[in-house]
Amino acid sequence: MKKHVLSSLGLFLLLLSVINHSYAEDGYRLWLRYDQVQDPAKLKAYRQAIQEVVVPGNSPTLSVAQQELKMGLSGLLGKPVPVSQKPSQRNTLVAGTPASSALIKDLGLGDKLKTVGDEGYLLLTANKKGKKYTVIAANTDIGVLYGSYHFLRLLQTQQDISKLSLASAPKTKHRVLNHWDNLDRTVERGYAGFSLWDWHKLPTYIDQRYIDYARANASIGINGTVLTNVNANALVLTEEYLKKVKALADAFRPYGLKVYLTARFSAPIEIGGLETADPLDPKVQAWWKKKSDEIYSYIPDFGGFLVKANSEGQPGPQNYGRSHADGANMLADAVAPHGGIVMWRAFVYSNEEPEDRAKQAYNEFKPLDGQFRDNVMVQVKNGAIDFQPREPFHPLFGAMPKTPIMMEFQITQEYLGQATNLVYLAPMWEEVLDEDTYAEGEGSTVAKVIDGTLNGHRLTGMAGVANIGTDRNWTGHQFGQANWYAFGRMAWNPYLSSEEIAEEWIKMTFSNQEELVEKLEDMMLNSHETLVNYMTPLGLHHIMGWSHHYGPGPWIKDKHRADWTSVYYHRADEKGIGFDRTKTGSNAVAQYFPPVAEKYGNVEKTPEKYLLWFHHLPWDYKVKSGRTLWDEMALRYQGGVDSVRQMQQTWNALEGKIDPERFKHVQTFLEIQEQEAEWWRDAVLLYFQTFSKRPLPEGVEKPEHTLEYYMQLDPKFVPGI
Amino acid sequence: MKKHVLSSLGLFLLLLSVINHSYAEDGYRLWLRYDQVQDPAKLKAYRQAIQEVVVPGNSPTLSVAQQELKMGLSGLLGKPVPVSQKPSQRNTLVAGTPASSALIKDLGLGDKLKTVGDEGYLLLTANKKGKKYTVIAANTDIGVLYGSYHFLRLLQTQQDISKLSLASAPKTKHRVLNHWDNLDRTVERGYAGFSLWDWHKLPTYIDQRYIDYARANASIGINGTVLTNVNANALVLTEEYLKKVKALADAFRPYGLKVYLTARFSAPIEIGGLETADPLDPKVQAWWKKKSDEIYSYIPDFGGFLVKANSEGQPGPQNYGRSHADGANMLADAVAPHGGIVMWRAFVYSNEEPEDRAKQAYNEFKPLDGQFRDNVMVQVKNGAIDFQPREPFHPLFGAMPKTPIMMEFQITQEYLGQATNLVYLAPMWEEVLDEDTYAEGEGSTVAKVIDGTLNGHRLTGMAGVANIGTDRNWTGHQFGQANWYAFGRMAWNPYLSSEEIAEEWIKMTFSNQEELVEKLEDMMLNSHETLVNYMTPLGLHHIMGWSHHYGPGPWIKDKHRADWTSVYYHRADEKGIGFDRTKTGSNAVAQYFPPVAEKYGNVEKTPEKYLLWFHHLPWDYKVKSGRTLWDEMALRYQGGVDSVRQMQQTWNALEGKIDPERFKHVQTFLEIQEQEAEWWRDAVLLYFQTFSKRPLPEGVEKPEHTLEYYMQLDPKFVPGI
């Protein structure tokens, strides 16, 4: 029988490809592909080790774990794997908690289980009474589910499972996606179609995609989702919409995914009929308390609020002469009785133009350290400007020891080529997490700020601005999936390397075939540096197109505030280029702890990747290569283009080894990326050449058009606006 | 071998359901499902009759036909069907033209082929030299493709194919979808997500969905698509966008699908730098000629322009004191040298409020009969107001004998429950097509106006405002697919009955199982009358929510023009209700030919379905049932709700006979439909009761809320705005 099924499978896979092209591999399955293990030895070992699945208990979360194991293993092993109520075979997979599974209780894992807490799990091999058990054990149902995905991942990546002894627990508590999704289904900075949330048909219609979304998040340990844009609409807090939010929360709950909302600070006025939103006004406080009670009456495990206040036109406590702490604390008090939290964004800059925008968040928030309630986290972007292709770490990390600081990464590629550029972001995130703040002496890395170990915080978290939309492949670019994946994995463990995450993802998403893994890994790991080179090498920043941030726009000037222009940031003139943030300039470097301030304050010690971020330098400044700054810059732009072409070669050589629809998709997107890289190189170099007055060095291709041509380009309807 | 493959298939289908839920039946495949034929006798016969496929020639269209036959037959027969260069089996399927296939040439089909023209085909069984051939023959490659889809449909619906002798040719020349898609990917009156056209990634990236879209259209004979909204944006006529349009046209071409654009009348000013768009200005004429030449340089088979002019704020020739004919002819002259056409919409009403909006299109266009160029069609909506749940046929049908009149149906359900209501629209369309205009005496049906036979026009067409979007199932509601399908079928042949189309669609989309077909057909055929009952029975019209047209709004009044309000149309007061369009009122009936005018002018002869469309009647007017008008109206609303509940029962009884994801989807949507039907009944009856001052008759359920409650409802972000 077994043999027959096997041959059927092979035959049918062949048939399937002929019969129905609508079932093509289009990326919808993400990394949760459970196709049969290709290595015959591994397959045999797995089949022997797992003859049945036992997941006692019937809670919604355990049911999901059971279904996932059954489906996943049946696919990976290429034959239906039976589910039993209790072990009946010699080799059984058992998943559960001491409460749900007698076998797991009997294993006496008490001490070991203590170490993995509320969301962690153990993966073990155990022998008992002549039988062999593969065990997924946890203290909670969600721990079991997380462990189940981990176990499946071991098979997807063809690991040895014969002697498992593995423990895993998340290093941060709140691993949260931020959806900048509007109620009209547009997505701010969304490049993968439109919002998944079909508000009009909620609460009655539950799209299958909501379930698949929750499942994908659970598989990488993401446990929270902020449904709405930080540029918030109070309407979502009305009864009509709360019923819709409840329907989503109910759909997500089995997957351990909590729902959060953005709180529009002026909601008490807009939907509450009050005349003020002053956080110290008792009526306002009462309104938020009542509103929170109402929310929790629908959603007992509601996560809490994310707030963007007094930034880019959003209302906030400063409208009433109050501080960010006053605003955050009022909301925190409203949700505290229900166990909710407030995530208060530090991405602020006043309506008055600051001397250096990079300094403002620090200046505003540092003095508030110690003033926030226990259930408030301050959410800080990785850098002090705004999700640039590369930024030095934000000086707030380490600077507020009494306040839990939450990391905000941007998974959606607002400034990094949007949907069409292949950029694996994990190396950029890793770069930031690894940086040493020196806040408590050497070794005070950003990662330690985030996981709470540096200052002993138990409230910890990481937020990622989602890159997910209605596009069939979820993220617009097939490789955008890797960034969603990497965010979840790094939020679980900020010490994972971008390399190991890439390897996992490639094996799960494409294939375990060695050469393919190696080539794709190489391509992914170099992709961020590649983009930085053709967009903003050597510390350049914020020189992209106006408003939509698409394409180059170093010539942008004369807008209603200087710090929304490009010339404000690059400061190019006939003498040189770069933003002097040392003592002779804005002295932003002084916001860092002394060892860092000294490094960035000294042009010799500053890493070249941040050179023009901190220093204004002459065009003929000699960089480490011995070249002039101008020549080096030009060659970096060219190098970026060359690297994209290298990526194309790598990819094209994989034809036939990757399913055709995804192959073609990425191939075409790489063509677009090449066009855009050339556009960046040509436009930026032509523009800066008007200052440098120097020829392009040898090896740099001649621009296809004139500077005037590039300046008159005016892309319309760039998605994400 | 055969047996083995068969059993593999069954086994694998079982496995598939376990292994990968991402391959669930979600509606993406539309009616092009090629699952194995279930009837064993039919399956055997089909397998015997088709042992191989021969499609000589390698034009793009013939290649598509070959692929489709191979894929479709392999699926339907449950085994790979080989493709051969020339017949090698006893029983062969041959498809081609006399030019592409020697065998077809040898069959001497000359005379028969003459009858089917450029797009038609023959399906024949032929014996030759002891071999049996099933033949798909046509004069053109596209005819072969259309015939291939027809042939596959015969198997999908389990028809006898042993003695084929069938000819088919389209009765209209231009069978065109109108996409009201904006360049920012929103869709006006679109309820199935967003626009399929991802302008930002064009022209480089060709989404697989473009191909699947073209294929679906080809399968039902649709041969044109207007990509852009009639509320037009001139930007699509710029070089940047024309390159994108070309990429779509190239993708669609193998499927016989021509591309059209909407022409913004003021484009010469907006993108041409001219100071006027006066159609009699030589510079304007020259600009459009040059623009057309440019378009054809990219797209040699560009279809032409669709224009909405001088209507709802759109610019047009009247801005310059010129007529619609002046405007249309200018554009017609520009595209004529390239074989293009102009479709000029008759949906106009002036900015000044007319005495009766229903009369305006006739008043403006009738006098222009004979003034249009040969390559202009006037596109007329089925009724004189605006795609209401039910309208009497438009008086322009038959009234312009010298002008080709194109039908405009609305497939998207702007006024018919939008995405969530199950309404099969074909009976409504059939009702209009069957109406007798008496233009040339009895038997002058609307269908004969449309297919050109009434007045001998060779330029003919039917337009359908598309209900297609990015939703996975294409149309939002699974049953919305039936309306896309029916539109294509009726455009091909306006004399098909809605019943036979429903039967085809059900069998192809769900199953050939007899009881299921019968029940779904019954449900579909009654669904339009059901909706009319709970929305606008007895000739009521235009009493829906303001602007988004979602939900009831009979109380809408005091807007800046009366004919955008509900009270303008229902004219309810304490005495009665209805719009008097007879001699004592607006006398709109006089626009019809005498027999019709007499019928609608006489309350006794007017069909009850149009009663309040043409007559203002007292609340105690006795209708045919013997009840008062008020009681009848109330019972109709209740009857509509009851019918929705009946639909729910019918559907729920089919659980297990329909794949689970689609079953659940429709089940949930029917719940929403019930809620909305109740909402309509309660809101409208409570409102009209303030005039009628009569109690609800027995059998009508008590409203759940007060009138005030319904009036304060204010749905936001209703899709399609």
Side-chain angles (χ1 to χ4, degrees):
Chain A
M1 177 62 190
K2 228 178 282 175
K3 216 165 179 183
H4 180 75
V5 176
L6 178 60
S7 67
S8 301
L9 231 158
L11 251 169
F12 191 82
L13 286 176
L14 195 78
L15 252 181
L16 192 70
S17 68
V18 176
I19 290 178
N20 203 313
H21 78 175
S22 307
Y23 286 157
E25 186 75 69
D26 53 19
Y28 186 78
R29 295 197 291 164
L30 296 162
W31 49 85
L32 296 169
R33 295 165 77 250
Y34 297 136
D35 296 343
Q36 188 179 317
V37 172
Q38 290 303 305
D39 182 310
K42 288 273 162 58
L43 179 62
K44 196 178 162 195
Y46 294 157
R47 283 181 172 177
Q48 193 156 16
I50 306 158
Q51 293 170 353
E52 67 180 343
V53 170
V54 176
V55 188
N58 53 11
S59 75
T61 300
L62 288 175
S63 300
V64 167
Q66 190 200 80
Q67 281 167 36
E68 194 74 29
L69 287 170
K70 183 185 170 186
M71 180 176 74
L73 292 169
S74 298
L76 288 160
L77 306 192
K79 60 171 192 176
V81 174
V83 171
S84 310
Q85 282 311 302
K86 50 174 83 176
S88 69
Q89 304 288 323
R90 272 185 52 85
N91 299 297
T92 299
L93 174 72
V94 180
T97 66
S100 74
S101 161
L103 182 109
I104 286 171
K105 193 177 174 192
D106 290 350
L107 289 176
L109 301 169
D111 286 348
K112 278 193 189 165
L113 277 174
K114 263 185 202 157
T115 66
V116 299
D118 277 352
E119 296 182 294
Y121 50 82
L122 306 171
L123 303 185
L124 303 167
T125 306
N127 290 289
K128 200 160 178 177
K129 293 181 188 165
K131 289 188 176 177
K132 191 171 175 184
Y133 296 98
T134 305
V135 179
I136 302 170
N139 297 305
T140 60
D141 292 355
I142 189 64
V144 175
L145 183 60
Y146 288 150
S148 301
Y149 283 113
H150 190 146
F151 180 72
L152 288 165
R153 190 194 308 145
L154 294 178
L155 274 71
Q156 288 177 280
T157 56
Q158 302 191 2
Q159 307 300 305
D160 183 3
I161 60 162
S162 63
K163 292 182 204 104
L164 286 177
S165 174
L166 194 154
S168 184
K171 292 191 184 298
T172 68
K173 199 172 156 74
H174 298 278
R175 306 173 299 277
V176 179
L177 288 180
N178 289 184
H179 284 269
W180 290 356
D181 289 18
N182 300 313
L183 298 182
D184 65 0
R185 296 194 72 181
T186 57
V187 180
E188 185 165 333
R189 314 307 181 185
Y191 311 101
F194 293 82
S195 173
L196 291 182
W197 325 133
D198 190 350
W199 293 106
H200 178 64
K201 301 198 191 84
L202 284 167
T204 311
Y205 178 59
I206 301 299
D207 192 327
Q208 176 63 32
R209 193 137 190 183
Y210 303 152
I211 314 292
D212 295 341
Y213 163 83
R215 174 178 169 248
N217 282 317
S219 77
I220 49 175
I222 290 173
N223 66 1
T225 177
V226 185
L227 299 174
T228 45
N229 192 354
V230 288
N231 294 320
N233 186 331
L235 205 64
V236 80
L237 301 175
T238 60
E239 185 191 1
E240 182 189 355
Y241 275 83
L242 288 177
K243 286 177 180 167
K244 298 169 189 275
V245 174
K246 170 190 161 47
L248 287 175
D250 290 345
F252 297 163
R253 190 167 294 111
Y255 296 88
L257 189 67
K258 277 189 189 180
V259 157
Y260 299 73
L261 292 174
T262 46
R264 170 116 173 133
F265 204 79
S266 49
I269 301 170
E270 290 158 11
I271 62 167
L274 300 188
E275 284 177 7
T276 175
D278 180 350
L280 300 193
D281 185 309
K283 276 191 215 134
V284 174
Q285 292 171 350
W287 187 87
W288 279 109
K289 270 196 184 294
K290 207 176 148 205
K291 182 51 73 182
S292 297
D293 294 347
E294 186 191 355
I295 295 173
Y296 280 94
S297 76
Y298 290 113
I299 309 156
D301 56 355
F302 177 69
F305 294 123
L306 169 64
V307 188
K308 173 177 178 176
N310 294 119
S311 171
E312 299 183 319
Q314 292 294 305
Q318 295 179 343
N319 299 28
Y320 306 95
R322 315 302 183 185
S323 76
H324 283 290
D326 294 330
N329 292 343
M330 172 193 62
L331 292 171
D333 289 343
V335 295
H338 307 284
I341 62 165
V342 169
M343 299 170 287
W344 194 271
R345 291 175 97 229
F347 178 66
V348 297
Y349 46 100
S350 74
N351 294 324
E352 296 82 50
E353 181 189 329
E355 52 163 323
D356 180 358
R357 182 169 136 189
K359 290 165 67 178
Q360 189 152 354
Y362 181 98
N363 288 343
E364 281 207 28
F365 275 83
K366 164 99 177 121
L368 300 174
D369 189 30
Q371 296 181 28
F372 291 97
R373 293 284 188 274
D374 284 349
N375 60 333
V376 175
M377 273 191 283
V378 172
Q379 183 170 311
V380 179
K381 292 186 182 182
N382 56 280
I385 296 294
D386 187 14
F387 296 137
Q388 295 305 296
R390 170 174 272 142
E391 297 193 36
F393 74 89
H394 201 300
L396 270 176
F397 294 116
M400 297 179 71
K402 296 179 193 152
T403 309
I405 299 293
M406 190 174 190
M407 173 63 82
E408 180 175 328
F409 284 135
Q410 192 182 46
I411 313 174
T412 190
Q413 295 168 224
E414 176 179 355
Y415 296 96
L416 289 103
Q418 305 187 356
T420 48
N421 284 208
L422 192 164
V423 190
Y424 177 50
L425 300 175
M428 178 175 82
W429 300 335
E430 189 181 16
E431 186 173 281
V432 173
L433 290 166
D434 282 353
E435 287 282 2
D436 198 337
T437 68
Y438 286 89
E440 309 285 335
E442 197 176 343
S444 304
T445 61
V446 172
K448 286 187 185 168
V449 176
I450 296 309
D451 76 2
T453 54
L454 190 69
N455 299 112
H457 290 296
R458 297 185 61 184
L459 181 59
T460 55
M462 196 183 282
V465 181
N467 63 344
I468 303 163
T470 51
D471 274 6
R472 179 65 181 165
N473 68 15
W474 300 88
T475 54
H477 201 304
Q478 298 286 354
F479 277 77
Q481 299 181 356
N483 296 326
W484 179 9
Y485 182 84
F487 169 75
R489 300 287 289 127
M490 282 192 165
W492 184 275
N493 182 0
Y495 302 94
L496 284 179
S497 76
S498 53
E499 202 169 334
E500 56 191 313
I501 296 172
E503 190 176 321
E504 275 175 18
W505 179 81
I506 294 164
K507 287 181 173 174
M508 296 165 80
T509 306
F510 288 108
S511 153
N512 278 264
Q513 205 263 319
E514 210 170 319
E515 189 201 347
L516 179 144
V517 174
E518 201 176 291
K519 285 191 170 168
L520 290 190
E521 196 176 318
D522 191 55
M523 186 167 99
M524 286 170 71
L525 291 173
N526 289 317
S527 62
H528 174 246
E529 202 66 47
T530 294
L531 175 125
V532 168
N533 279 333
Y534 64 72
M535 282 191 181
T536 51
L538 297 167
L540 285 171
H541 51 289
H542 216 295
I543 56 171
M544 70 296 305
W546 171 249
S547 177
H548 49 56
H549 301 164
Y550 173 67
W555 45 78
I556 302 290
K557 60 178 179 178
D558 298 334
K559 297 295 180 181
H560 68 287
R561 48 183 296 163
D563 57 346
W564 284 4
T565 68
S566 298
V567 298
Y568 172 89
Y569 291 102
H570 64 64
R571 309 203 163 196
D573 56 27
E574 300 201 0
K575 289 185 204 137
I577 184 169
F579 198 128
D580 183 1
R581 291 193 167 105
T582 68
K583 279 181 200 160
T584 54
S586 76
N587 203 24
V589 295
Q591 293 184 335
Y592 290 104
F593 286 88
V596 182
E598 197 200 329
K599 182 169 70 172
Y600 294 157
N602 182 335
V603 68
E604 298 297 325
K605 293 186 184 167
T606 303
E608 269 184 357
K609 62 186 175 184
Y610 301 139
L611 205 58
L612 303 177
W613 189 283
F614 290 114
H615 306 280
H616 186 84
L617 298 172
W619 293 108
D620 60 1
Y621 176 82
K622 281 273 182 305
V623 298
K624 296 208 173 85
S625 63
R627 287 189 277 265
T628 64
L629 176 62
W630 167 251
D631 283 359
E632 180 71 19
M633 181 186 291
L635 286 164
R636 294 268 181 135
Y637 275 100
Q638 180 64 44
V641 172
D642 292 342
S643 300
V644 174
R645 291 173 185 158
Q646 184 54 53
M647 284 161 79
Q648 291 180 287
Q649 279 184 30
T650 303
W651 186 258
N652 289 338
L654 294 172
E655 185 158 14
K657 292 183 180 156
I658 287 169
D659 30 282
E661 190 169 328
R662 289 193 298 173
F663 177 81
K664 183 79 187 157
H665 174 106
V666 174
Q667 188 179 44
T668 314
F669 276 41
L670 284 170
E671 281 173 40
I672 296 175
Q673 186 167 0
E674 188 196 8
Q675 292 158 17
E676 293 185 0
E678 290 169 351
W679 175 25
W680 269 93
R681 178 199 60 195
D682 294 348
V684 175
L685 290 180
L686 282 171
Y687 171 74
F688 285 144
Q689 201 172 30
T690 63
F691 302 106
S692 79
K693 321 265 190 209
R694 286 152 193 266
L696 292 174
E698 200 172 334
V700 178
E701 291 165 14
K702 196 172 167 308
E704 205 183 330
H705 302 281
T706 63
L707 176 60
E708 290 62 40
Y709 170 85
Y710 294 111
M711 287 179 70
Q712 59 79 37
L713 289 179
D714 183 19
K716 296 287 196 318
F717 306 120
V718 179
I721 305 298
Chain B
M1 177 62 187
K2 227 180 281 175
K3 217 166 177 182
H4 180 74
V5 176
L6 178 59
S7 67
S8 301
L9 231 158
L11 251 171
F12 192 81
L13 285 174
L14 194 79
L15 253 182
L16 193 70
S17 67
V18 176
I19 291 178
N20 205 314
H21 78 177
S22 305
Y23 284 158
E25 185 75 72
D26 54 19
Y28 187 78
R29 294 196 291 164
L30 296 162
W31 49 86
L32 295 169
R33 295 164 77 250
Y34 297 137
D35 296 342
Q36 188 178 316
V37 172
Q38 289 303 304
D39 183 310
K42 289 272 164 57
L43 179 62
K44 195 178 163 196
Y46 293 157
R47 283 181 171 177
Q48 194 155 17
I50 306 155
Q51 294 170 350
E52 66 180 346
V53 169
V54 176
V55 188
N58 53 12
S59 76
T61 300
L62 288 175
S63 299
V64 167
Q66 189 200 80
Q67 280 166 36
E68 194 75 26
L69 288 169
K70 183 183 169 188
M71 180 175 72
L73 292 169
S74 296
L76 289 160
L77 305 191
K79 60 171 192 177
V81 175
V83 172
S84 310
Q85 282 311 303
K86 48 174 83 174
S88 69
Q89 304 288 322
R90 273 185 51 85
N91 299 296
T92 299
L93 174 71
V94 179
T97 65
S100 73
S101 161
L103 181 109
I104 286 172
K105 193 178 176 194
D106 289 352
L107 288 176
L109 300 170
D111 286 347
K112 278 193 188 167
L113 277 175
K114 264 186 201 155
T115 66
V116 300
D118 278 352
E119 295 183 294
Y121 51 83
L122 306 171
L123 303 185
L124 302 168
T125 307
N127 291 289
K128 200 160 181 178
K129 295 183 187 166
K131 289 187 178 179
K132 191 170 175 185
Y133 297 97
T134 305
V135 178
I136 303 170
N139 297 306
T140 60
D141 292 354
I142 189 65
V144 175
L145 182 60
Y146 288 150
S148 300
Y149 283 113
H150 190 146
F151 179 71
L152 288 165
R153 190 194 308 144
L154 294 178
L155 274 70
Q156 288 177 282
T157 56
Q158 301 191 0
Q159 308 299 304
D160 184 4
I161 59 162
S162 63
K163 294 184 201 100
L164 286 178
S165 174
L166 196 155
S168 184
K171 293 192 184 296
T172 69
K173 198 171 156 76
H174 298 278
R175 307 174 298 280
V176 179
L177 288 180
N178 290 184
H179 284 270
W180 289 357
D181 290 17
N182 301 312
L183 298 182
D184 65 1
R185 297 195 72 181
T186 59
V187 180
E188 185 164 334
R189 313 307 180 185
Y191 310 102
F194 293 81
S195 173
L196 290 183
W197 326 133
D198 189 351
W199 294 106
H200 178 64
K201 300 197 193 87
L202 284 166
T204 311
Y205 177 60
I206 300 300
D207 193 326
Q208 176 61 33
R209 193 138 190 180
Y210 304 152
I211 313 292
D212 295 339
Y213 163 85
R215 173 179 170 247
N217 282 317
S219 77
I220 50 176
I222 290 172
N223 66 0
T225 177
V226 185
L227 299 175
T228 45
N229 193 355
V230 288
N231 293 321
N233 186 332
L235 204 65
V236 80
L237 301 175
T238 60
E239 185 191 3
E240 181 190 354
Y241 276 83
L242 289 177
K243 286 179 179 166
K244 299 169 189 276
V245 174
K246 170 190 162 49
L248 287 174
D250 290 345
F252 297 163
R253 189 168 293 111
Y255 296 88
L257 190 67
K258 276 189 188 177
V259 157
Y260 299 73
L261 292 174
T262 47
R264 172 117 173 133
F265 204 80
S266 48
I269 302 170
E270 290 157 11
I271 60 167
L274 301 188
E275 282 177 9
T276 174
D278 181 350
L280 299 194
D281 185 309
K283 275 193 217 135
V284 174
Q285 293 172 348
W287 187 86
W288 279 109
K289 270 196 185 294
K290 205 175 151 207
K291 181 52 72 181
S292 298
D293 293 347
E294 184 190 357
I295 295 173
Y296 281 92
S297 76
Y298 290 114
I299 309 155
D301 56 355
F302 177 68
F305 294 123
L306 169 65
V307 188
K308 173 177 179 177
N310 294 119
S311 172
E312 300 183 318
Q314 291 295 306
Q318 294 180 341
N319 298 27
Y320 307 95
R322 315 300 185 188
S323 76
H324 284 289
D326 293 329
N329 291 344
M330 171 193 63
L331 292 171
D333 289 343
V335 295
H338 308 283
I341 63 165
V342 170
M343 301 171 285
W344 192 271
R345 291 175 96 228
F347 177 67
V348 298
Y349 46 101
S350 74
N351 294 324
E352 295 83 50
E353 182 187 330
E355 51 162 325
D356 179 358
R357 182 168 136 190
K359 291 165 67 178
Q360 189 151 355
Y362 181 98
N363 288 343
E364 283 207 26
F365 276 83
K366 166 98 177 121
L368 301 175
D369 191 30
Q371 295 183 27
F372 292 97
R373 294 283 189 273
D374 284 350
N375 59 335
V376 174
M377 274 192 281
V378 172
Q379 182 169 311
V380 179
K381 291 186 182 184
N382 57 280
I385 295 295
D386 187 13
F387 297 138
Q388 294 305 293
R390 170 173 272 143
E391 295 194 38
F393 74 88
H394 202 301
L396 270 176
F397 293 117
M400 298 178 69
K402 296 177 195 153
T403 310
I405 300 292
M406 189 175 193
M407 173 64 82
E408 179 175 327
F409 284 135
Q410 192 183 45
I411 313 174
T412 190
Q413 295 168 224
E414 175 178 355
Y415 295 96
L416 288 103
Q418 304 187 354
T420 48
N421 285 208
L422 193 164
V423 190
Y424 177 51
L425 299 175
M428 177 175 82
W429 300 335
E430 187 180 18
E431 188 174 279
V432 173
L433 291 165
D434 283 354
E435 288 281 2
D436 197 338
T437 68
Y438 287 88
E440 308 287 335
E442 197 176 340
S444 305
T445 61
V446 173
K448 287 186 184 169
V449 176
I450 297 309
D451 76 2
T453 55
L454 191 68
N455 300 111
H457 290 295
R458 297 186 59 185
L459 182 59
T460 56
M462 195 183 285
V465 181
N467 64 343
I468 302 163
T470 52
D471 274 6
R472 181 64 182 164
N473 67 15
W474 300 89
T475 55
H477 200 304
Q478 297 286 353
F479 279 78
Q481 299 180 356
N483 296 326
W484 180 10
Y485 183 84
F487 168 76
R489 300 288 288 127
M490 283 190 165
W492 184 275
N493 182 358
Y495 301 95
L496 284 179
S497 77
S498 52
E499 203 169 333
E500 57 192 312
I501 297 172
E503 192 177 319
E504 275 175 18
W505 180 80
I506 295 164
K507 287 179 174 175
M508 296 164 82
T509 307
F510 289 108
S511 152
N512 278 264
Q513 204 264 319
E514 211 170 315
E515 189 203 347
L516 179 144
V517 173
E518 201 176 289
K519 285 189 170 171
L520 290 190
E521 196 175 321
D522 190 56
M523 187 168 98
M524 287 170 70
L525 290 173
N526 289 317
S527 62
H528 174 245
E529 202 66 47
T530 294
L531 176 125
V532 169
N533 279 333
Y534 65 74
M535 280 192 181
T536 52
L538 297 166
L540 285 171
H541 52 289
H542 216 297
I543 56 171
M544 69 295 304
W546 171 250
S547 176
H548 49 57
H549 300 163
Y550 172 66
W555 46 77
I556 303 291
K557 61 178 179 179
D558 300 333
K559 297 294 179 183
H560 69 285
R561 48 185 295 164
D563 58 345
W564 283 5
T565 68
S566 298
V567 298
Y568 173 88
Y569 290 102
H570 65 66
R571 309 205 163 194
D573 56 26
E574 299 201 0
K575 288 184 204 140
I577 184 170
F579 197 127
D580 184 1
R581 291 192 166 105
T582 68
K583 279 181 200 162
T584 55
S586 77
N587 204 22
V589 295
Q591 294 185 335
Y592 290 104
F593 286 89
V596 182
E598 198 201 328
K599 182 169 72 171
Y600 293 157
N602 181 335
V603 67
E604 298 296 326
K605 292 184 184 168
T606 304
E608 269 182 357
K609 61 186 175 184
Y610 302 139
L611 206 56
L612 304 177
W613 189 284
F614 291 114
H615 306 281
H616 186 85
L617 297 171
W619 292 109
D620 60 0
Y621 176 82
K622 281 277 181 304
V623 297
K624 295 205 174 89
S625 62
R627 287 189 277 265
T628 64
L629 176 61
W630 168 251
D631 283 359
E632 181 70 19
M633 180 185 293
L635 286 163
R636 295 266 181 135
Y637 274 100
Q638 180 65 45
V641 173
D642 293 341
S643 300
V644 174
R645 292 174 185 157
Q646 184 56 52
M647 285 161 79
Q648 291 180 286
Q649 278 184 31
T650 303
W651 186 258
N652 289 338
L654 294 172
E655 184 159 13
K657 292 181 180 157
I658 287 168
D659 30 282
E661 189 169 328
R662 288 193 299 174
F663 177 79
K664 183 77 187 159
H665 174 105
V666 174
Q667 187 180 45
T668 314
F669 276 41
L670 283 169
E671 280 172 41
I672 296 174
Q673 188 167 359
E674 188 197 10
Q675 293 157 17
E676 293 186 0
E678 291 170 350
W679 174 26
W680 269 92
R681 177 198 62 196
D682 295 348
V684 175
L685 290 180
L686 281 171
Y687 171 75
F688 285 144
Q689 201 174 31
T690 65
F691 301 107
S692 79
K693 319 265 192 209
R694 286 154 192 266
L696 293 174
E698 201 172 333
V700 178
E701 291 164 14
K702 196 173 166 309
E704 205 184 330
H705 301 281
T706 63
L707 177 59
E708 290 64 39
Y709 169 85
Y710 294 111
M711 288 178 70
Q712 60 78 38
L713 289 179
D714 183 18
K716 297 287 196 316
F717 306 119
V718 179
I721 305 296

